[in-house]
Amino acid sequence: MSPDKITALGLTSFRATLGRLLDALEAVDELVEFTGTHVLALDDRERVIDSIIQRRGVEVSEEKRSAALQAAANFFDDLETGLDIPGRVRIELAQGTEAPRTRAPDEDPDFGEKFQITFQAAMDRMLETLDANGIKDRMAMDIVTAYSATQVRKPRAGILYSSLLVTTVGACEVFLGDTMRAFLRARPEALNNSEAKFSFAEVARFESMQAFRDYSINRQVDAVLRQGSFEDWMKWFDEKLRIKYDDITSRGIDVREVFQRRHIHVHNDGRVSELYLLKVPDLEDPPALGEYLEITPSYLTSAIDHLRDFAVVLVVTIGRKLYKRSAEERTMINDLAIASIYDHLKAGKYHCVVELFDKLHDGLEKEGDRLLAQINQWIARSRLGDTKVADEVRQWDTTTLDGRFKLAKMALLDDRRAAANLAGELIERREITRNDYREWPLLQKVREEFPEPPTDTH
């Protein structure tokens, strides 16, 4: 199919592919936000201890439970302080006995004797407290053992967030594969460069050339995804579309690191491997080999932002290259760029607004689109504390522009009364709506002083 015959159907395919990824990323984002208020309970020490005690069939009153927990905490504090090994003492029940044992450093030849003395003193103090609260014998050791288990128990929150990272990157891989397929369907001539060979029997089993073409596309894309790395996938877009990775994101290091961190969490229990260090050599503060890289809610949120922006810019850039001869499709693809910037602004993701503006602004053809994007970028930068914004806005000449842009300049310069008065005039002239006044992020500070705009300024 020649470039002039590409229709909106192809663009719809790209947008649908992006939409599926954005839905998946939004779902993970919501899960992170939701679990943030609940997941800490999974690793709450008292809840874990209660669970372990319950499984052992031990019942204690609330008063005894509190006393026991405090006695156990004091016991381990005494041991760790006396032995100078913070967080490394764990007591277990030996098989068939009630004698405690511990794993401790073996490089100190006097450690054994030191441990016995420190342990006995700490144990005596704890048992005395437990006995005073009517907790004796096996029940006392059950509680101590349960408390000890929480010190080495694998955090459940970490397992959850690691799984969500795997899901996030997996969705991005699916997106990249679907985007490759959408491009090859829009430009099937790009398959001509393929060195793949087919037997007559393979070709003959297809009922149509389109079915064979779809098979060829899927085969090529699957091979790229299966045999290549993230760097190879980006090279594919460069070879097919002349799209450089650095043109897609200014967070190139961070995006690659997300893929590599997912890899070590799948294949190396989250610990830094030599391959990880090889793939991300330009990290500002590289971790040590074997170091565990935790997945925190903030890391996940940041990863989602980077991947979302990377995907949006990739689709818009592809659309601009493929549909540059169609005014309708160019408008659609630039509307996607404008909407993405505005969505980030409403969500308070100001660093994402700046990123998308930097990568997409130059391709906006309509003056109104460029101005809207610039205004949103100014808002984001000012919310991030950029002191240069005010000078840039003052130099912006709005003399010949319509009222919305004059309003924007007043709001950006924090002239709240003038902005509220002008907003009232624009509402009366039906150039903006009252709903615009109530919802535009641009007018957030104006609304703080003037919740409703004056509608009669004469």
Side-chain angles (χ1 to χ4, degrees):
M1 186 184 298
S2 64
D4 356 357
K5 292 184 180 180
I6 297 176
T7 66
L9 181 62
L11 180 55
T12 300
S13 178
F14 284 108
R15 294 182 67 176
T17 294
L18 176 63
R20 288 191 292 273
L21 173 65
L22 297 185
D23 284 345
L25 295 181
E26 182 180 5
V28 175
D29 218 358
E30 289 179 358
L31 284 170
V32 172
E33 182 179 2
F34 174 79
T35 58
T37 60
H38 301 281
V39 76
L40 294 180
L42 289 172
D43 295 314
D44 179 75
R45 175 169 282 178
E46 291 193 15
R47 191 204 68 82
V48 173
I49 292 170
D50 288 342
S51 175
I52 294 173
I53 292 175
Q54 186 176 18
R55 289 200 299 270
R56 290 174 179 268
V58 178
E59 294 185 6
V60 295
S61 67
E62 181 60 31
E63 184 179 359
K64 291 182 178 181
R65 168 187 170 279
S66 297
L69 292 177
Q70 187 58 54
N74 292 340
F75 169 73
F76 282 96
D77 286 344
D78 290 345
L79 271 183
E80 291 168 4
T81 301
L83 298 173
D84 194 25
I85 49 172
R88 296 180 61 186
V89 175
R90 180 188 181 189
I91 305 300
E92 299 175 347
L93 290 183
Q95 187 71 27
T97 74
E98 294 184 1
R101 57 190 174 90
T102 184
R103 298 190 184 106
D106 54 8
E107 60 270 15
D108 182 358
D110 298 324
F111 179 82
E113 182 180 354
K114 182 179 180 181
F115 171 79
Q116 290 295 334
I117 296 172
T118 305
F119 174 85
Q120 191 60 56
M123 178 63 77
D124 289 343
R125 284 192 293 272
M126 181 186 66
L127 291 178
E128 182 179 345
T129 302
L130 292 175
D131 184 69
N133 285 275
I135 301 173
K136 303 180 180 181
D137 305 324
R138 179 73 189 201
M139 182 184 292
M141 289 310 305
D142 278 341
I143 292 174
V144 175
T145 304
Y147 193 99
S148 174
T150 66
Q151 308 215 124
V152 293
R153 181 178 184 268
K154 193 175 183 67
R156 275 36 173 177
I159 295 174
L160 172 64
Y161 292 133
S162 177
S163 299
L164 289 177
L165 177 66
V166 173
T167 298
T168 298
V169 176
C172 195
E173 288 185 4
V174 171
F175 158 77
L176 290 172
D178 287 345
T179 302
M180 293 175 186
R181 293 184 184 92
F183 165 71
L184 291 174
R185 291 189 183 106
R187 288 283 180 87
E189 61 268 24
L191 283 169
N192 295 340
N193 297 328
S194 173
E195 298 180 358
K197 294 180 174 58
F198 301 91
S199 67
F200 176 78
E202 283 181 293
V203 177
R205 68 187 178 88
F206 294 97
E207 296 181 355
S208 66
M209 181 55 69
Q210 184 59 50
F212 174 67
R213 182 178 292 162
D214 289 342
Y215 169 76
S216 300
I217 289 171
N218 287 328
R219 177 166 141 165
Q220 181 176 127
V221 172
D222 289 345
V224 172
L225 293 178
R226 185 173 59 254
Q227 299 172 12
S229 62
F230 179 73
E231 289 74 19
D232 295 321
W233 305 338
M234 294 302 98
K235 183 179 179 181
W236 188 93
F237 285 104
D238 187 9
E239 292 174 346
K240 298 293 184 183
L241 283 145
R242 298 294 182 265
I243 294 177
K244 302 288 186 186
Y245 179 52
D246 290 341
D247 294 335
I248 299 301
T249 176
S250 61
R251 303 281 186 177
I253 297 173
D254 298 317
V255 172
R256 281 192 285 112
E257 197 280 335
V258 171
F259 277 81
Q260 293 307 316
R261 188 172 296 210
R262 185 287 305 262
H263 185 80
I264 62 172
H265 271 264
V266 171
H267 300 289
N268 204 40
D269 194 31
R271 303 195 176 279
V272 174
S273 64
E274 292 181 350
L275 180 61
Y276 173 92
L277 295 174
L278 180 66
K279 291 292 187 178
V280 284
D282 36 12
L283 287 177
E284 185 175 337
D285 186 19
L289 184 65
E291 179 181 340
Y292 180 79
L293 295 186
E294 183 182 4
I295 308 298
T296 62
S298 61
Y299 177 88
L300 258 180
T301 300
S302 178
I304 290 169
D305 288 344
H306 296 331
L307 293 177
R308 182 192 290 115
D309 292 345
F310 161 79
V312 169
V313 176
L314 179 60
V315 167
V316 172
T317 304
I318 292 174
R320 285 173 174 173
K321 284 180 174 288
L322 290 182
Y323 303 99
K324 56 187 175 183
R325 299 190 184 184
S326 168
E328 180 183 357
E329 276 74 31
R330 291 201 312 273
T331 297
M332 289 175 64
I333 203 69
N334 284 326
D335 284 349
L336 173 61
I338 293 294
S340 298
I341 291 173
Y342 187 60
D343 286 345
H344 276 323
L345 186 65
K346 290 192 295 183
K349 294 181 178 292
Y350 304 126
H351 57 289
C352 295
V353 173
V354 175
E355 168 73 6
L356 289 185
F357 177 87
D358 290 346
K359 294 300 179 183
L360 300 177
H361 178 260
D362 289 344
L364 298 175
E365 299 175 350
K366 298 178 182 178
E367 182 186 24
D369 287 345
R370 291 196 298 273
L371 288 174
L372 286 174
Q374 179 64 74
I375 290 168
N376 289 337
Q377 188 243 28
W378 275 329
I379 296 171
R381 285 172 53 203
S382 65
R383 303 275 168 83
L384 291 171
D386 190 337
T387 57
K388 297 179 182 178
V389 171
D391 288 338
E392 294 176 17
V393 175
R394 289 190 189 96
Q395 295 173 24
W396 178 30
D397 184 5
T398 60
T399 306
T400 60
L401 301 178
D402 68 38
R404 291 177 305 155
F405 297 112
K406 292 181 174 68
L407 174 62
K409 183 170 183 176
M410 291 175 182
L412 286 165
L413 293 177
D414 205 24
D415 191 348
R416 302 183 188 185
R417 180 173 295 278
N421 288 336
L422 179 56
E425 295 177 17
L426 295 177
I427 290 172
E428 289 184 341
R429 298 203 302 259
R430 297 186 178 180
E431 294 182 30
I432 68 172
T433 67
R434 190 168 293 276
N435 202 49
D436 291 334
Y437 184 88
R438 292 168 178 167
E439 294 185 358
W440 280 353
L442 167 70
L443 301 176
Q444 178 182 325
K445 292 185 177 180
V446 177
R447 288 193 297 270
E448 291 174 1
E449 190 167 338
F450 302 94
E452 292 292 336
T455 54
D456 183 9
T457 57
H458 302 290

